[in-house]
Amino acid sequence: MTTGLRPGGNPQDPRQRGNQPLPRQEGVGPDAPHVENRTGRSVITARAAASFDPVGRSVATARSFVRDTLQGWGFADIVDDAVVLTSELVTNAVVHAGTAAEVLCLRSDDGVRIEVSDRYPEREIPLQSSAVNMGSPDREGGRGLQLCAALADRWGVEYTPTHKQVWFRLDLPERPVGTRAAGPALPADLLPLADGRVRVAVVQIDRTGTITAWNEDADDLFGYAAEQVTGKPLTDLAAWPHTPGTGTGIAEALRLSRWEGSYGIRGADGRVIPVYASHLRVRDTAGEPSTVCLLVRDHERAVLQTPLRGPATDTATAQDGQVPDPFEVFIGSPAPDDLDGLLQRTVERARDMLDGDAAFLLLATDDETELEVRASTGLPSARQRFARVPVDAGPGRYGSARMPAVHDDLAAVPGAVPLLGGTGMRSVVTVPLKVEGRLTGSLGVAAESPSRYSNEEALRLQFAADRIALAVESARLGELERLRRGSLSFLVEASDLLAGTLDRNQTLALMAQMTIPTLASWCAVYTIADQVSEPYLSYVLHEDEERIDGLKALLSKIAPPEPIPTPGARVWTAPAEAAHQAALRTSMRSLGLPELPAVSSGVGTTLATAATVGGETVVLPLVARNRVIGMLTLGKPTDEHFRQEILELAEDLSRRAALALDNARLYSERTAISQSLQRSLLPPELPDIDGVEVEVIYRAAGEGNEVGGDFYDLFPIRDGAYGFAIGDVCGTGPEAAAVTGLARHALRLLAREGFGGPAVLERLNSAILDEGARSRFLTLLYGELWPQEDGSAVLRVVCAGHPLPLRLRQDGSVEPAAEPQPLLGVMEDLELYEQTVTLDPGDVLLCVTDGVTERREGTRMLGDDGLAEVLTTCTGLTAGAVAARIMRAVERFASDAPSDDMAILAMRVPGLLKD
């Protein structure tokens, strides 16, 4: 069902939809002259609309909608007739015609008009020109229009090609001046309790849920000035008694035309203030909707609470001779669809039925050993929600849960009903909720005065509990099924997210972000580096970002939880105790009182931080590969508890998160080792060579810069002589890295022993072949460099299967500086030779690996010719500028990331630079 309320304004005539006039069937018989044109009689001051699905229960829902709407408008005099007519017309639509029904209520100064539309325009309309014959009272259909003719002041039928509309109008009777409704005179001690001055907070919320108005009483009640809250969402302040994933939330309640009930508002001091609220959806003259919220302290609810009306006799039902359902008599109609709404209405009706000060309802666990608090009224808001108490007898246990029980004075039997400890309640009556002999819950009503209840009240309450037990259990099972499905989806999504990263810090952030706010209000992750290390606070997150710093400061000052590998969640009280002491110290300082020794060493924190961790805090171990690698800590704000289903879901998440965190640790260690090995295979720094500029650019492909692949080296051999090399080992990984290390160190050793280039490479070839199955072939360019006094440089190079070095002259010409020879690691007997090259001042020698020349874009490849073409544009540039231009050209050649390692070695003999 969808509803809306729009006070004021003139509605468009429904007959003027589109450009085609609509046919109209007027009422017949004596009432025919009274058929009206809606816009011609009176001004519409409010409207309420609702649509109903084509199911049987929609008839009862439609009756309730019309009754509540007219009661809210103050039209109690015509409610019964309107409900009867609506019931018949909606029955015709949803039961007999089998289509959805739309109900529109229009209020004017002198009456109300109600329109019922369906999607079955060709259905026959019974017409009569003689006296009205209501027919047999047992017939199922056909009475709607006959009742309209009998009860309505005016009525009619209108058609379009797609739907049919029946409307009727009921005029208000003449009312004498005086009181319309009143309660009996009561003694002063029986009047509702209120403070000396009743404060009614008036808060206005716009269509986005943002606070736009905040009166002085709201300031007094909650401690916020208007400028502090204006522009903020109401959800930042509201402590909504609502289970995530089930029931109506604050956002949905603010969109309803009317809503009335209890919730909490977080005050400026961080405490939750229980309030009773009445919401009304309105619109301004520009048509902009907003919600006006009236709020009082929960114990002053009589100021706002609409008096419960007795169960009205349904005329249509009475005519059929049916007895009202006892469940609907107690709960009201329609019954809430969600479990939270059903439980909350149950405790409120039970409290009112026995004229109590408070009421509560607990649901049993599957093994019936514990009861979980799920709804309460008249008790501290959310203080006990989802708290659990054992059922068996004993101190602090709920021993009277399985049988009806009356406690005349709880002060004489402390702990008999643990839920009521410290609430001021003296007498209580409790009854079990049972389904097929199995305990499913417990319902209780309490009063502040002793000896308030007797066995008679217990029997009345037990009768009510028997009426609702099956409905509660059915709703609970439905909620559990939804929670299980939601949990499964949550865990699947969490697994995908955790499996998508191997970064340790990102894994920590994902762990916290997945729990907030789905599972808890705040989260802290402790990590343990090894078995001898202490837990370290690695990550903190709160649903309110402004409280993260205070929470982190608080947790960093207290000892971390013990890393116990036992599975499951365990309660951790240290944060709440530390926050309480710190808040107490802060309060005493603000009052100018001396601080107590017990709290003088407390953590300096704000009251907001104290409220943040004032609820239940649990710790779940992060166990991976039979070792505790950390702890996941989840917390609730002041006076809130975790429900068991949430803890079980958190335990499942902690197991997945622990494995993901350990995988990220192992990957980080492997990456660090890989990068360290990679750095060991490259020279730590290049030597300075007088008369020669040298520049190297190295780019490793792949995530983590995996070891192996390309390498380079430049080292002094003896006075005035330097060796240089650039090579590429086949493959990557440890095997390639082994050949790379062998090649680099062998080159340095053999060159410094006085061997020439061919001898160095022939001995290196033999060493590679000696590796057997682990060997890899190697392309290598090796040379020796001698700077000359005339400014030139002499090079002797051997190119063993490697891309040829290119020489750039001052005139811009480019030519190979060596000839190709066989690569290493393939043949045993190699006959290599060296070639001598003289670099004149201004000349450049460019050496690259095949990752540069084999850069591809589709079918195109840069190649030797493309590299030479780029090099011709580098005349007059320094060695660093030449290497940078070559790398930039290679990167721009293709849009994809490089798939191979790349190394560039540029050597230039200085000359005159171009202007």
Side-chain angles (χ1 to χ4, degrees):
M1 183 186 78
T2 58
T3 63
L5 177 64
R6 296 184 293 174
N10 290 320
Q12 178 185 1
D13 191 330
R15 294 189 299 271
Q16 303 304 320
R17 300 186 180 98
N19 297 321
Q20 298 180 356
L22 304 178
R24 183 178 66 184
Q25 173 67 49
E26 297 185 350
V28 295
D31 292 321
H34 298 291
V35 175
E36 69 167 349
N37 182 327
R38 182 201 314 165
T39 59
R41 288 295 304 265
S42 58
V43 175
I44 302 301
T45 59
R47 66 173 61 192
S51 59
F52 303 92
D53 296 331
V55 294
R57 66 174 303 172
S58 292
V59 179
T61 308
R63 290 197 300 267
S64 179
F65 163 70
V66 172
R67 179 185 292 112
D68 290 343
T69 299
L70 269 58
Q71 291 269 10
W73 287 347
F75 289 179
D77 307 64
I78 58 176
V79 164
D80 292 338
D81 288 346
V83 168
V84 170
L85 294 177
T86 302
S87 177
E88 288 296 333
L89 295 178
V90 172
T91 299
N92 288 341
V94 303
V95 176
H96 303 304
T99 74
E102 299 174 359
V103 179
L104 174 64
C105 301
L106 302 173
R107 182 185 71 184
S108 61
D109 295 336
D110 54 354
V112 65
R113 169 173 168 143
I114 298 178
E115 301 176 355
V116 180
S117 304
D118 63 44
R119 304 290 178 178
Y120 196 23
E122 64 272 19
R123 183 173 175 82
E124 177 183 358
I125 302 299
L127 305 178
Q128 70 271 3
S129 56
S130 59
V132 175
N133 179 15
M134 299 300 293
S136 171
D138 296 327
R139 58 184 301 189
E140 293 186 356
R143 295 195 306 244
L145 298 182
Q146 295 173 347
L147 285 175
C148 286
L151 300 178
D153 294 289
R154 285 168 293 279
W155 66 278
V157 183
E158 299 175 356
Y159 294 93
T160 72
T162 59
H163 76 281
K164 178 191 77 210
Q165 178 189 98
V166 179
W167 61 266
F168 62 87
R169 178 179 174 83
L170 298 172
D171 293 335
L172 291 177
E174 293 293 334
R175 295 172 177 165
V177 177
T179 302
R180 292 179 51 211
L186 294 175
D189 58 346
L190 296 181
L191 295 176
L193 181 64
D195 291 342
R197 177 193 168 191
V198 176
R199 291 176 173 83
V200 180
V202 181
V203 183
Q204 191 161 6
I205 314 298
D206 65 13
R207 69 161 67 229
T208 65
T210 301
I211 298 173
T212 59
W214 184 270
N215 72 342
E216 293 182 359
D217 279 358
D219 188 347
D220 291 337
L221 285 175
F222 310 123
Y224 300 104
E227 56 270 14
Q228 292 180 278
V229 295
T230 302
K232 292 185 177 180
L234 181 63
T235 53
D236 288 357
L237 305 179
W240 192 255
H242 159 63
T243 302
T246 62
T248 301
I250 179 66
E252 292 81 0
L254 291 174
R255 287 194 293 268
L256 298 176
S257 60
R258 284 184 180 275
W259 185 90
E260 191 174 320
S262 299
Y263 52 93
I265 295 292
R266 301 186 192 278
D269 59 359
R271 295 183 302 170
V272 175
I273 302 171
V275 298
Y276 192 82
S278 176
H279 297 175
L280 174 64
R281 187 81 161 161
V282 298
R283 63 167 181 157
D284 59 19
T285 54
E288 183 68 17
S290 62
T291 302
V292 177
C293 305
L294 305 181
L295 304 99
V296 296
R297 292 185 179 91
D298 193 61
H299 67 270
E300 297 174 339
R301 61 168 57 218
V303 176
L304 297 180
Q305 188 172 21
T306 301
L308 296 174
R309 62 178 183 274
T313 302
D314 190 334
T315 306
T317 303
Q319 288 180 353
D320 292 337
Q322 299 178 1
V323 178
D325 184 358
F327 170 76
E328 289 198 1
V329 171
F330 178 71
I331 292 297
S333 179
D337 293 328
D338 61 287
L339 177 61
D340 282 337
L342 176 60
L343 299 182
Q344 192 62 34
R345 186 178 292 186
T346 297
V347 296
E348 291 177 356
R349 295 295 171 89
R351 180 203 58 191
D352 296 336
M353 182 179 72
L354 299 188
D355 193 21
D357 298 311
F360 54 89
L361 193 148
L362 303 89
L363 293 184
T365 57
D366 291 339
D367 57 5
E368 301 181 22
T369 60
E370 290 183 308
L371 292 171
E372 183 180 64
V373 180
R374 291 301 302 271
S376 64
T377 181
L379 298 176
S381 176
R383 189 185 95 173
Q384 303 289 343
R385 187 165 173 78
F386 299 125
R388 291 195 169 197
V389 293
V391 175
D392 297 334
R397 297 173 181 267
Y398 202 174
S400 61
R402 300 185 184 276
M403 296 292 292
V406 177
H407 297 275
D408 290 332
D409 193 350
L410 293 178
V413 190
V417 183
L419 175 65
L420 301 180
T423 62
M425 299 298 163
R426 297 287 298 276
S427 56
V428 61
V429 53
T430 62
V431 297
L433 276 67
K434 292 186 177 181
V435 175
E436 297 180 350
R438 182 173 60 87
L439 178 68
T440 61
S442 177
L443 176 63
V445 178
E448 295 178 349
S449 57
S451 303
R452 183 74 171 271
Y453 301 112
S454 63
N455 290 337
E456 182 181 353
E457 280 81 6
L459 291 175
R460 291 178 59 196
L461 190 61
Q462 184 67 71
F463 180 79
D466 293 341
R467 302 285 77 75
I468 66 169
L470 185 59
V472 169
E473 180 67 3
S474 176
R476 186 183 73 88
L477 294 176
E479 180 195 65
L480 288 177
E481 180 63 23
R482 289 192 297 272
L483 285 174
R484 289 191 181 101
R485 291 180 180 178
S487 299
L488 182 60
S489 300
F490 173 80
L491 291 175
V492 169
E493 182 179 359
S495 299
D496 289 342
L497 290 173
L498 291 171
T501 178
L502 289 171
D503 182 82
R504 176 181 177 276
N505 293 332
Q506 188 173 0
T507 302
L508 289 172
L510 284 174
M511 289 171 56
Q513 292 168 3
M514 285 185 294
T515 60
I516 307 301
T518 305
L519 305 182
S521 298
W522 63 271
C523 169
V525 182
Y526 292 84
T527 56
I528 304 174
D530 50 58
Q531 295 182 353
V532 297
S533 299
E534 291 294 325
Y536 174 75
L537 182 61
S538 298
Y539 200 90
V540 176
L541 185 65
H542 191 279
E543 59 184 355
D544 184 354
E545 294 182 357
E546 296 180 355
R547 300 190 179 183
I548 293 178
D549 292 339
L551 178 60
K552 186 181 299 183
L554 174 68
L555 295 176
S556 63
K557 299 290 185 176
I558 61 178
E562 291 292 329
I564 300 175
T566 305
R570 70 180 192 274
V571 177
W572 186 34
T573 60
E577 293 172 354
H580 174 72
Q581 292 182 2
L584 180 58
R585 189 182 70 162
T586 302
S587 300
M588 295 182 69
R589 186 187 302 117
S590 65
L591 296 173
L593 300 175
E595 297 180 5
L596 297 175
V599 299
S600 59
S601 61
V603 183
T605 185
T606 63
L607 292 175
T609 304
T612 296
V613 298
E616 188 175 38
T617 301
V618 296
V619 177
L620 297 105
L622 298 174
V623 181
R625 298 176 175 90
N626 298 321
R627 187 174 72 87
V628 180
I629 63 171
M631 284 87 69
L632 177 64
T633 303
L634 304 178
K636 287 282 192 179
T638 300
D639 296 333
E640 291 194 19
H641 292 76
F642 288 97
R643 62 181 307 176
Q644 187 64 24
E645 291 80 2
I646 295 298
L647 293 179
E648 293 172 356
L649 179 58
E651 186 177 357
D652 287 339
L653 175 64
S654 68
R655 287 195 291 266
R656 290 164 169 79
L659 187 59
L661 184 61
D662 200 46
N663 288 339
R665 177 187 62 83
L666 294 174
Y667 179 78
S668 298
E669 292 177 356
R670 176 178 177 274
T671 301
I673 294 172
S674 174
Q675 292 175 344
S676 177
L677 180 58
Q678 181 74 66
R679 287 190 296 268
S680 71
L681 299 178
L682 299 176
E685 59 183 11
L686 299 178
D688 293 329
I689 303 177
D690 293 336
V692 179
E693 297 175 357
V694 179
E695 181 66 27
V696 174
I697 296 179
Y698 183 83
R699 294 285 188 273
E703 184 179 358
N705 298 337
E706 202 168 62
V707 299
D710 299 357
F711 71 95
Y712 65 90
D713 202 358
L714 180 64
F715 55 91
I717 299 176
R718 52 185 132 0
D719 293 341
Y722 296 87
F724 66 91
I726 184 169
D728 186 3
V729 179
C730 172
T732 59
E735 294 83 1
V739 177
T740 299
L742 173 64
R744 177 169 175 266
H745 295 294
L747 289 175
R748 288 193 173 215
L749 178 63
L750 294 172
R752 288 171 177 170
E753 288 295 321
F755 292 97
V760 169
L761 268 61
E762 289 169 1
R763 285 164 172 76
L764 176 59
N765 180 66
S766 298
I768 295 174
L769 292 175
D770 288 344
E771 292 292 310
R774 297 181 301 173
S775 65
R776 293 284 189 275
F777 65 80
L778 167 68
T779 67
L780 180 65
L781 172 65
Y782 174 76
E784 297 178 355
L785 169 67
W786 287 273
Q788 303 297 310
E789 294 181 357
D790 60 358
S792 64
V794 176
L795 293 85
R796 294 176 182 174
V797 297
V798 181
C799 185
H802 199 76
L804 299 179
L806 298 179
R807 175 181 181 179
L808 171 65
R809 296 183 180 273
Q810 286 189 332
D811 60 3
S813 61
V814 175
E815 60 185 14
E819 296 177 354
Q821 298 184 59
L823 50 77
L824 308 181
V826 178
M827 298 179 293
E828 292 185 0
D829 298 326
L830 287 181
E831 295 183 359
L832 302 175
Y833 60 91
E834 63 183 10
Q835 296 173 271
T836 302
V837 180
T838 301
L839 296 180
D840 298 325
D843 288 357
V844 175
L845 183 71
L846 177 67
C847 310
V848 300
T849 57
D850 59 3
V852 174
T853 56
E854 294 180 1
R855 177 74 163 145
R856 294 180 180 275
E857 174 68 20
T859 59
R860 298 186 307 117
M861 186 172 70
L862 179 63
D864 296 332
D865 294 338
L867 179 63
E869 183 178 350
V870 176
L871 185 59
T872 59
T873 66
C874 298
T875 306
L877 299 181
T878 63
V882 171
R885 179 169 292 186
I886 297 298
M887 179 57 69
R888 188 162 54 250
V890 172
E891 291 174 343
R892 293 178 177 178
F893 184 80
S895 58
D896 296 336
S899 59
D900 195 4
D901 299 341
M902 294 185 292
I904 299 174
L905 171 62
M907 294 183 291
R908 178 180 180 273
V909 178
L912 297 176
L913 297 177
K914 287 187 175 182
D915 295 332

